[in-house]
Amino acid sequence: MSEPNGVMMQYFHWYIEPDGKLWQEFAENVKDLADAGITSVWLPPAYKGNAGGFDVGYSVYDLYDLGEFDQKGSVRTKYGTKDEYIQAVKAAKEAGIRVYADVVFNHMVGGDETEEVEATPLNPDNRNEAIDENRTVKVWTHFKFPGRQGKYSDMEWHWWHFDAVDYDEYNPDYNAVYLFKGKSFDENVDLEKGAFDYLMGCDLDMEFDEVRDALKAWGAWYTDITQVDGFRFDAVKHVRAGFFPHWLQHCRKEAGRRLFAVGEYWSYEIEALHHFIDVTGGDVHLFDAPLHYNFSEASKAGGDYDLTTIFDNTLVKEQPALAVTLVDNHDSQPLQSLESVVEPWFKPLAYALILLRQDGYPCIFYADYYGAHYKDNGNDGGEYEIWLDSHKWLIDKFLHVRRTYAFGDQYDYFDHPSTIGWTRLGSEENPGGMAVVLTNGDDGRKWMEVGQPNRTYYDITEHVSEPVTTNDEGWAEFSCQAGSVSVWVPKE
């Protein structure tokens, strides 16, 4: 993010084909991405998940298996092999792109053997409420990693490394979260469901020294062997917040270099995000989930949405230096767990709002850039076919404008509920300025200042064909088509 006008890309979506080719594809595309203006990429989890070559990566089985060992039915992961991953990271760095690794510290799934332990069944919707007496449960908590045979780490995981599970082999149909005897849920987690420490699988006990030490050892190994530039932390609202800066500082010390970090705290309650930032001392950026929610709502409400409020209660408005702004991601895309669709017509407007303004570290979603087509079942059990449009042509235009003209003072013209705009005045190194106007209603127009007198501007989106020339004071009326966005840059 230290790079002026840096842009991140999430280089995957949930339904990427499980053909083991993503690392190779990424390596082949890094030069084009760098030329387009992408400065960093967040790659999906590189380690073996419970579903082997079909696992998206969030059902973590073995953090040390990056597609190297025959475990869970395959050697490679969904995305490829360890060697292909390391080569892809190297190729990206040679092209000038930083790589952020996806890290899941909340849970593990797919234990190799069962263990018996005493546990208390809790209400899944209120983890402070016991729903039955303490009992002996049979749980899949012994992780032996037989395919790896102790390479890189000889640690095996047992029930005492976890604090809860949601499955008892003795009573498989009973719906409960089983809190192990002598364990308690972590503090400084989200308060949803009473205490949202538990999410899925075998929940790691972050109060246990052996667990923290194991994760630190893995982090140092991973950073050294892959040479990544930072991390995207998954599901941070389910993990004791104070763990992240300690882990990060350890990895930085071992690596001898600065490592970036962004967390996924998926909550629309802005105060929850502020609390996490306070606890972590501002060491971990956060994705601006409330902004995504505003985009989703605006896209569904159409002309009834007041665009002057689009940044209300968002991280980019209240703590812009720590906000990673986004339009969509793998969890919010259609048919996924946090589905909150941003309708296709609004996505160009949303990308203009994150890519062409001075605040925030914008993140582009793979499926919005390249498009996507897949089928899956919805919550109603029915199968749906999904087509996501590619917005690559327009996003590339925005990226060009971002690195060429999006500099200097920003003047906002958020003075009409259906038509808003802003300008950037440019800088000595990047002169010329620019103007953006967008509307969710009829054709829109804004009288705005770009600081360049008697200069002609054209709409780089090609939505409006007629150029505009500023007056002696550097003002002009800039327009856009109905339900659209136009980006005005100097005519050379």
Side-chain angles (χ1 to χ4, degrees), residues 57-189:
Y58 297 101
S59 299
V60 184
Y61 170 66
D62 186 357
L63 290 169
Y64 282 100
D65 183 358
L66 306 184
E68 183 179 4
F69 306 101
D70 189 355
Q71 300 187 114
K72 296 299 179 181
S74 72
V75 173
R76 68 165 176 84
T77 68
K78 179 178 181 179
Y79 312 111
T81 66
K82 174 191 171 187
D83 288 343
E84 289 166 346
Y85 177 65
I86 291 172
Q87 286 303 312
V89 173
K90 183 180 179 183
K93 291 163 75 73
E94 288 174 351
I97 292 178
R98 296 179 179 89
V99 177
Y100 305 145
D102 206 320
V103 176
V104 185
F105 281 155
N106 179 73
H107 52 266
M108 293 170 63
V109 181
D112 301 299
E113 292 182 1
T114 58
E115 298 176 310
E116 286 189 340
V117 58
E118 289 187 50
T120 302
L122 304 178
N123 183 346
D125 295 317
N126 178 9
R127 281 75 182 279
N128 296 321
E129 177 191 345
I131 55 176
D132 210 335
E133 297 296 320
N134 192 53
R135 63 174 71 170
T136 298
V137 294
K138 187 177 183 181
V139 291
W140 291 91
T141 48
H142 188 185
F143 290 77
K144 300 175 69 174
F145 314 119
R148 184 158 53 80
Q149 297 185 332
K151 187 175 182 181
Y152 306 127
S153 170
D154 60 4
M155 178 178 170
E156 294 185 7
W157 293 69
H158 295 274
W159 71 263
W160 53 84
H161 296 119
F162 309 106
D163 51 33
V165 297
D166 65 355
Y167 180 81
D168 172 17
E169 191 73 29
Y170 288 139
N171 202 350
D173 297 324
Y174 193 73
N175 184 24
V177 171
Y178 297 94
L179 182 65
F180 296 157
K181 185 177 180 179
K183 299 284 188 174
S184 60
F185 287 129
D186 293 340
E187 297 180 352
N188 275 324
V189 296

Side-chain angles (χ1 to χ4, degrees), residues 42-57:
W42 149 33
L43 294 178
Y47 31 79
K48 192 68 59 70
N50 185 42
F54 295 93
D55 205 296
V56 178

Side-chain angles (χ1 to χ4, degrees), residues 254-292:
E254 293 295 314
R257 65 182 193 275
R258 177 73 182 172
L259 296 166
F260 174 82
V262 57
E264 179 225 12
Y265 197 117
W266 203 256
S267 172
Y268 302 136
E269 301 296 330
I270 190 66
E271 291 306 322
L273 276 64
H274 290 321
H275 178 72
F276 179 89
I277 287 170
D278 288 343
V279 173
T280 56
D283 208 17
V284 180
H285 293 63
L286 288 180
F287 287 103
D288 197 344
L291 178 64
H292 160 78

